[in-house]
Amino acid sequence: MEVLDNLPHDKLAICKTTGNVLQTEIIQESNSAYARNTNDAVFQEVFNPLTDELIQEIISLQPSYIPSSIPKWIPTVACGLLKEILFTHPNSSVVFADFDWLPPPKIESKSTQTRRSLLGINEPLVTSMDDIDHVCYLTAPPLCDILFPTDFQALSIYCERLLSDSAADVNVHFMKQNEFLLMYGPNEVNHTRNWFGYTPLLEDFTNCSVLCVSR
């Protein structure tokens, strides 16, 4: 549980001139006035032609990860991890539960409100260790929790296509977390139900889904 949201993601964009896919790279500025006058590192995004082989493989299997007019974050390492598990252990089944939606950052006086990155689809929630949200991963404090929402439908299609040549019967599906708990743990759900019918297993964390790959 809650592994996918913290795995590294990549931001892709489309070149307005050529229509080709671009990958995002982070560079450290040294010539800006702010960088010269402070000891703080200043970072910015640059978009270059796609050369990353893992990303190329992922979008060939799941074209919906290719952005349109707005940049898009994709779960590069999650896709690579699933491939490694499923191919290295051909008899394995996996279950991943995580956030399918995250709220926008709660901006307050202590939040860093300067944005130096392009806003993208599946934008991460950036929260520092003192539980303060920040608007941009490039301007947030060094120690932060960066959480990405997972598009479970897109990830399940990726897994299906990844395993399409498998000799074994493969079942890939996803469902909301409360549906999963009712299907596989109804007794545990009932054990947590209070006198008024409330159970945290079903009614808390409603923004979570579960990916199941079985064979």
Side-chain angles (χ1 to χ4, degrees):
M1 294 184 66
E2 296 188 28
V3 172
L4 303 177
D5 64 287
N6 288 130
L7 292 177
H9 285 53
D10 281 280
K11 182 189 285 186
L12 303 182
I14 291 294
C15 177
K16 295 181 178 179
T17 303
T18 65
N20 294 332
V21 179
L22 305 175
Q23 64 188 33
T24 306
E25 299 174 8
I26 308 302
I27 63 171
Q28 182 173 344
E29 289 187 11
S30 58
N31 295 323
S32 69
Y34 181 84
R36 290 195 303 269
N37 295 328
T38 70
N39 292 322
D40 295 334
V42 179
F43 300 97
Q44 68 174 5
E45 295 177 333
V46 294
F47 295 89
N48 291 319
L50 178 60
T51 58
D52 187 285
E53 293 181 359
L54 178 57
I55 297 177
Q56 291 173 339
E57 177 184 302
I58 291 169
I59 63 175
S60 69
L61 289 173
Q62 177 48 299
S64 73
Y65 283 144
I66 299 174
S68 53
S69 58
I70 302 173
K72 178 182 290 187
W73 291 94
I74 71 166
T76 317
V77 173
C79 292
L81 175 63
L82 282 164
K83 179 183 178 182
E84 184 69 19
I85 293 173
L86 296 171
F87 279 73
T88 304
H89 305 280
N91 295 322
S92 64
S93 296
V94 299
V95 175
F96 280 101
D98 221 306
F99 299 110
D100 54 36
W101 175 85
L102 288 169
K106 182 181 179 181
I107 302 303
E108 47 191 284
S109 59
K110 294 182 180 180
S111 301
T112 302
Q113 301 186 37
T114 302
R115 172 169 289 280
R116 297 182 63 84
S117 65
L118 288 181
L119 195 65
I121 297 171
N122 297 327
E123 191 75 11
L125 180 62
V126 182
T127 305
S128 52
M129 297 299 101
D130 52 1
D131 204 29
I132 302 296
D133 293 346
H134 303 277
V135 298
C136 175
Y137 73 101
L138 290 180
T139 57
L143 296 178
C144 281
D145 192 10
I146 300 179
L147 298 89
F148 289 89
T150 296
D151 183 340
F152 278 85
Q153 182 176 27
L155 192 59
S156 66
I157 293 173
Y158 167 79
C159 289
E160 287 177 347
R161 293 172 178 168
L162 183 68
L163 298 170
S164 61
D165 294 330
S166 174
D169 291 334
V170 179
N171 181 16
V172 180
H173 63 282
F174 70 98
M175 64 186 78
K176 294 294 290 185
Q177 180 172 276
N178 55 2
E179 297 173 1
F180 179 87
L181 293 172
L182 283 172
M183 180 178 296
Y184 295 103
N187 292 333
E188 288 73 13
V189 170
N190 288 328
H191 288 159
T192 66
R193 199 180 301 276
N194 68 14
W195 291 348
F196 305 101
Y198 168 81
T199 168
L201 291 181
L202 301 184
E203 299 179 57
D204 289 353
F205 294 101
T206 57
N207 59 327
C208 290
S209 290
V210 182
L211 172 69
C212 306
V213 182
S214 58
R215 46 190 173 175

